[in-house]
């Protein structure tokens, strides 16, 4: 069993490493979530077909092996929901969601401080009560059992949440910093004169969509609404209909990248002088 679980863990690690090169954060989150879900499906199939030899083996599985997989599920599910909201919600709504999730991790710690100590101190006294599948001893809410499926075990769930929350806190704090970053850099442009966008709104749309797709802003985490609002404020142009302009760009017959083509031509000409 241990070897099988390690093989799956290595496969998941390799796939997540490959997915990390995807420049679109929402796509990375969705693909990562699929990988983790598939790994749990394989684990469940294996456990259902290979009953535990004894209680010690069951405890080892739920305490040492399974939690990291469920932690991946909990983390990537939260990450995907936040990245989806970033694509469709306002910056204010996204910030509210990030703060709420960060508070939720703190509350979980407050409610389960004793288990945190139990986990980090390597305690074993309660293993037979919390790391085995026994509904009479694991008095948890029904929705948790649905999440955990046939692998339901209160200790496994608590450990998985603990591991997921540690990773989630880092992600949430980073996202909050990135969300507030535009405000922190705005004063730096004051006093250097006015810069106005003098090309067409369509050209600006092509440029910002291209840079967004490349992941050039906030490590690929900035959404289009925020990008257009930021550049609109400091370039003196408000492109409210950028979605419509983008559709027009995509329908071009000669070249979809008309603006970029002109930029490349100018750069090449200048480099040859």
């Amino acid at each position: 069993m241990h070897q099988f679980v390690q093989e799956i863990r290595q496969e998941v690690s390799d796939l997540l490493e490959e997915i990390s090169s995807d420049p679109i954060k929402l796509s990375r989150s969705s693909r990562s979530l699929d990988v983790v879900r598939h790994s749990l499906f394989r684990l469940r199939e294996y456990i259902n077909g290979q009953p535990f030899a004894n209680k010690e083996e069951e405890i080892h599985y739920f305490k040492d092996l399974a939690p990291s997989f469920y932690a991946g599920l909990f983390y990537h599910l939260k990450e995907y929901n936040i990245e989806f909201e970033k694509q469709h919600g306002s910056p204010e709504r996204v910030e509210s969601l990030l703060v709420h999730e960060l508070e939720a991790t703190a509350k979980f710690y407050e409610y389960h401080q004793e288990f945190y100590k139990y986990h980090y101190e390597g305690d074993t006294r309660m293993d037979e009560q919390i790391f085995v599948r026994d509904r009479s001893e694991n008095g948890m809410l029904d929705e948790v059992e649905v999440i955990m499926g046939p692998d339901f075990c209160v200790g496994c769930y608590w450990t998985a949440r603990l591991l997921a929350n540690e990773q989630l806190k880092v992600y949430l704090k980073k996202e909050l910093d990135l969300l507030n970053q535009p405000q922190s850099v705005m004063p730096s442009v004051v006093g250097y004169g006015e810069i106005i966008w003098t090309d067409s709104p369509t050209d600006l749309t092509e440029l910002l969509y291209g840079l967004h797709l490349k992941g050039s802003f906030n490590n690929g985490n900035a959404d289009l609404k925020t990008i257009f609002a930021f550049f609109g404020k400091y370039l003196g142009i408000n492109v409210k209909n950028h979605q419509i302009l983008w559709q027009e760009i995509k329908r071009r017959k000669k070249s979809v990248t008309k603006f970029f083509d002109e930029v490349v031509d100018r750069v090449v000409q200048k480099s040859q002088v």
Side-chain angles (χ1 to χ4, degrees):
M1 178 183 66
H2 186 82
Q3 181 178 352
F4 178 76
V5 174
Q6 290 300 109
E7 289 175 357
I8 295 182
R9 180 176 285 118
Q10 186 60 52
E11 289 179 16
V12 170
S13 177
D14 292 342
L15 288 171
L16 292 179
E17 178 66 25
E18 180 181 335
I19 291 171
S20 66
S21 62
D22 189 333
I24 309 301
K25 190 64 179 291
L26 182 60
S27 173
R28 292 206 304 268
S29 299
S30 177
R31 292 169 63 191
S32 298
L33 187 56
D34 287 341
V35 167
V36 176
R37 281 173 170 164
H38 182 64
S39 70
L40 282 169
F41 175 77
R42 291 177 61 192
L43 278 177
R44 288 171 178 171
E45 275 195 328
Y46 180 84
I47 295 303
N48 289 337
Q50 303 284 336
F52 298 116
N54 48 50
K55 185 171 289 188
E56 287 72 25
E57 188 174 68
E58 182 175 0
I59 291 173
H60 174 57
Y61 175 77
F62 286 121
K63 184 175 184 178
D64 304 316
L65 302 180
S68 62
F69 291 92
Y70 282 106
L73 174 67
F74 296 152
Y75 170 77
H76 287 294
L77 184 58
K78 290 288 187 181
E79 180 190 52
Y80 173 78
N81 289 336
I82 291 171
E83 292 301 326
F84 184 85
E85 191 64 42
K86 283 165 58 179
Q87 292 292 321
H88 303 283
S90 65
E92 294 77 16
R93 179 175 173 80
V94 173
E95 182 175 15
S96 177
L97 178 60
L98 291 171
V99 172
H100 171 76
E101 293 295 346
L102 198 56
E103 291 175 347
T105 63
K107 288 180 180 179
F108 188 86
Y109 168 74
E110 292 174 6
Y111 293 152
H112 301 90
Q113 288 188 50
E114 290 304 315
F115 179 76
Y116 271 62
K117 294 177 182 177
Y118 186 91
H119 173 79
Y120 285 114
E121 291 176 1
D123 207 337
T124 60
R125 291 172 296 171
M126 297 292 292
D127 283 3
E128 292 192 12
Q129 282 70 50
I130 62 177
F131 288 108
V132 295
R133 293 171 295 183
D134 189 330
R135 301 183 73 178
S136 65
E137 295 176 339
N138 296 332
M140 292 293 291
L141 301 176
D142 289 341
E143 56 263 34
V144 176
E145 185 169 3
V146 172
I147 292 174
M148 305 302 287
D151 283 350
F152 172 68
C153 168
V154 65
C156 181
Y157 170 72
W158 284 342
T159 305
R161 281 292 303 274
L162 183 156
L163 297 175
N165 283 350
E166 289 181 342
Q167 187 177 3
L168 191 60
K169 282 191 295 185
V170 175
Y171 166 75
L172 293 170
K173 290 178 180 179
K174 179 181 178 181
E175 289 301 312
L176 281 170
D177 289 341
L178 290 174
L179 192 64
N180 295 320
Q181 187 174 327
Q183 285 74 27
S184 66
V185 300
M186 284 177 186
S188 65
V189 301
V190 177
Y192 289 90
E194 188 177 35
I195 298 294
I196 301 296
W197 181 264
T198 53
D199 275 334
S200 70
T202 302
D203 289 341
L204 181 61
T205 298
E206 181 182 331
L207 172 64
L208 295 185
Y209 265 79
L211 294 175
H212 168 68
L213 292 172
K214 186 179 179 297
S216 298
F217 303 112
N218 296 353
N219 297 313
N221 294 313
D223 60 88
L224 283 167
K225 186 175 181 179
T226 302
I227 293 171
F228 273 89
F230 180 85
F231 279 88
K233 181 176 182 179
Y234 285 94
L235 296 179
I237 181 171
N238 188 0
V239 189
K240 291 184 177 180
N241 61 335
H242 60 82
Q243 296 95 336
I244 297 175
L245 293 177
W246 175 244
Q247 295 302 318
E248 294 177 356
I249 291 172
K250 290 166 61 178
R251 289 195 293 268
R252 287 172 177 169
K253 294 183 179 180
K254 290 186 177 180
S255 175
V256 176
T257 56
K258 176 177 174 292
F259 176 76
F260 281 111
D261 293 343
E262 293 177 359
V263 172
V264 171
D265 288 342
R266 298 294 178 88
V267 172
V268 171
Q269 291 174 13
K270 187 66 175 178
S271 67
Q272 294 174 346
V273 174

